[in-house]
Amino acid sequence: MEFQDYIQDLSVRKALDAFQWKQPTAIQALTFPRFYERRNLILHAQTGSGKTGAYALPCLDQLDWEENQIQCLILAPTRELANQIKTECEHLGKYKRIKCASLIGKQPMAFQVQDLHQKCHIAIGTPGRILEHIRQGTLSLKALRWVILDEADEMVNMGFESSVRHILEALPSNLQYCLCSATMSEELTALCDAYLPDYEQIAPQSELLPPSLSFLAYPLSECEKDEFLWHYLLYQPCASAIIFCNTRAKCEHVYHKLKERYSALTMLHGAMDQTARDHAWAQFQSGAAQFLIASDLAARGLDLVDVDKIIHYELPLEKERFVHRSGRSGRNQADGQVVILLAETQRTLCHELAQYANITIEMGQVEAIWAQPTDEASIARLACERKERKSKGQVFQQEILRLYVHGGKKKKISAKDIVGAICQIDGISGADIGVIQIQDYGSYVEILGGKGEVVLAHLQEMPIKKQRLKVEIANHQFE
């Protein structure tokens, strides 16, 4: 199967070409024909298998750009996952000029309402905030066609089942549903039976974890873990690793212990404010941070490329969390390694987890790690392994330029005003203008086709709605 067998919109196919996506993944190949037949689906697949593309690509392909209201609603359990899905949809819909709104908590409702009042095709958010918008009437459901529940089992586990049910009860009839879930609990099965009529389950493989993963456990006492972890990082230097802890307090403890010796690391857990969480994740994604010390907030859904190792500082008590943590490495047939710092009290749990995941966990040579020197030469060798990584969005840098106009709603500037001004430039038409976002004091506009510098130069002298406004390249281009 090729993408063009199903994806007909040439602008979406252009984005696939930009990412060099040649063929659908296994979950996508199974999902596409059923999705286009408007079936209600439940997708089961390993992390990194392409589930987001499995539902996003058919939606983007069929979206009506002329329709100004939300056509696709996507629910996610965490703010990080919601923002990641938004970014993925914006990337795949870049040439179709698809506008997405992020509806998540800990952000001002007013800004989100502004986005929803402009042309907007897809809304992605967390259950609590989406329900709030529905109840306040700020999220129109009149044009809705698709509803996606991503990581649905985690939404139930995190206590969002009631909010999800209230959302589903408020939605119009005759919608198409797609639910992504690694496991099916009794609660989730009951929810699907109640709201997803005649659903079909799709599961392309039976293994819980990629076969390219290897597993090593090092038996240690609890008081040895901090020092041993440092010796291990020096013993087998790698470009990236996530070190998972069970609690926020333990994340802080491990982070500060390592930070005393090495700077290229960051931390992510639920007690951090959203700005700090976003910054930490961006540091790790870009490679600025070599190591991420994290709670289970980083265990699911978030898009990672080339994570060499997963280190369980502590084993999680839930079997599913062990699978999700470990599956952060070994994605897309790449080799990966899972390392367990195994306390005596967790040996029985380790055996149970191995049986559940159908894996073999070998015992590592503790003495060899302890013998690793911690001198400057070893630290320098570790630092040499760190690699900066480009974000997916950088593929658009050559063709698309995002501009910032110093004028918005407070100066009575609308999207039509910006389009009208730009279209007066010779050689520029509406087809060269991408997504426009109008805010109170400023506006963002994307210029397509490599014509951004031309538009920028002309707008330095050209008025917008009879006003001379400063226009510059936006600080943030594409994540």
Side-chain angles (χ1 to χ4, degrees), residues 55-69:
Y55 63 74
L57 285 168
C59 288
L60 291 166
D61 187 37
Q62 300 175 84
L63 275 170
D64 178 7
W65 186 85
E66 297 292 342
E67 172 58 63
N68 291 339
Q69 298 187 30

Side-chain angles (χ1 to χ4, degrees), residues 61-112:
D61 187 37
Q62 300 175 84
L63 275 170
D64 178 7
W65 186 85
E66 297 292 342
E67 172 58 63
N68 291 339
Q69 298 187 30
I70 298 297
Q71 297 168 62
C72 179
L73 178 65
I74 304 175
L75 280 67
T78 66
R79 300 194 287 274
E80 283 75 17
L81 180 55
N83 283 334
Q84 177 185 290
I85 296 169
K86 176 179 180 285
T87 299
E88 188 86 352
C89 289
E90 287 177 338
H91 286 165
L92 293 171
K94 185 64 67 178
Y95 296 111
K96 193 171 179 175
R97 299 177 290 165
I98 295 300
K99 173 73 184 302
C100 302
S102 176
L103 308 181
I104 60 177
K106 304 298 182 181
Q107 288 189 353
M109 282 280 288
F111 292 165
Q112 296 172 6

Side-chain angles (χ1 to χ4, degrees), residues 386-401:
R386 186 176 69 84
K387 300 174 184 175
E388 292 191 5
R389 294 188 289 267
K390 291 183 178 180
S391 70
K392 286 183 179 179
Q394 286 178 300
V395 303
F396 301 113
Q397 297 285 22
Q398 296 293 324
E399 289 196 27
I400 303 175
L401 188 66

Side-chain angles (χ1 to χ4, degrees), residues 45-51 151 205 208-210 299-304 323-332:
Q46 295 169 351
T47 182
S49 58
K51 292 193 295 293
E151 302 287 1
Q205 73 279 314
L208 291 175
L209 287 166
R300 301 186 61 156
L302 299 180
D303 187 23
L304 296 167
V323 170
H324 287 299
R325 287 182 182 183
S326 301
R328 300 286 82 193
S329 185
R331 296 159 66 98
N332 301 318

Side-chain angles (χ1 to χ4, degrees), residues 414-459:
S414 70
K416 290 182 179 179
D417 297 324
I418 293 175
V419 171
I422 293 174
C423 287
Q424 293 179 47
I425 302 170
D426 288 342
I428 306 295
S429 69
D432 299 314
I433 303 172
V435 172
I436 298 175
Q437 184 179 24
I438 308 295
Q439 299 179 341
D440 281 345
Y441 296 99
S443 305
Y444 293 93
V445 56
E446 293 175 3
I447 308 301
L448 314 179
K451 299 178 180 180
E453 295 290 350
V454 173
V455 172
L456 176 62
H458 279 80
L459 290 182

Side-chain angles (χ1 to χ4, degrees), residues 98-169:
I98 295 300
K99 173 73 184 302
C100 302
S102 176
L103 308 181
I104 60 177
K106 304 298 182 181
Q107 288 189 353
M109 282 280 288
F111 292 165
Q112 296 172 6
V113 172
Q114 281 184 8
D115 278 349
L116 292 171
H117 282 172
Q118 300 172 45
K119 178 188 282 289
C120 200
H121 305 99
I122 301 174
I124 306 106
T126 46
R129 180 54 61 92
I130 287 176
L131 182 59
E132 192 174 356
H133 277 286
I134 290 175
R135 286 176 168 169
Q136 292 189 15
T138 49
L139 173 61
S140 173
L141 306 173
K142 294 178 181 178
L144 194 62
R145 299 168 64 185
W146 302 282
V147 178
I148 314 296
L149 290 82
D150 206 334
E151 302 287 1
D153 52 345
E154 186 68 0
M155 279 193 272
V156 171
N157 293 339
M158 292 175 66
F160 294 136
E161 181 183 358
S162 177
S163 295
V164 172
R165 285 181 174 271
H166 285 308
I167 291 169
L168 295 178
E169 288 168 0

Side-chain angles (χ1 to χ4, degrees), residues 43 46 152-153 167 178 206 237 265 283-284 306 311 337 385 393 448 452 477:
L43 309 185
Q46 295 169 351
D153 52 345
I167 291 169
C178 181
S206 58
L265 54 94
Q283 280 191 306
F284 187 63
D306 302 330
I311 301 175
Q337 189 173 56
E385 289 294 320
L448 314 179
Q477 285 295 309

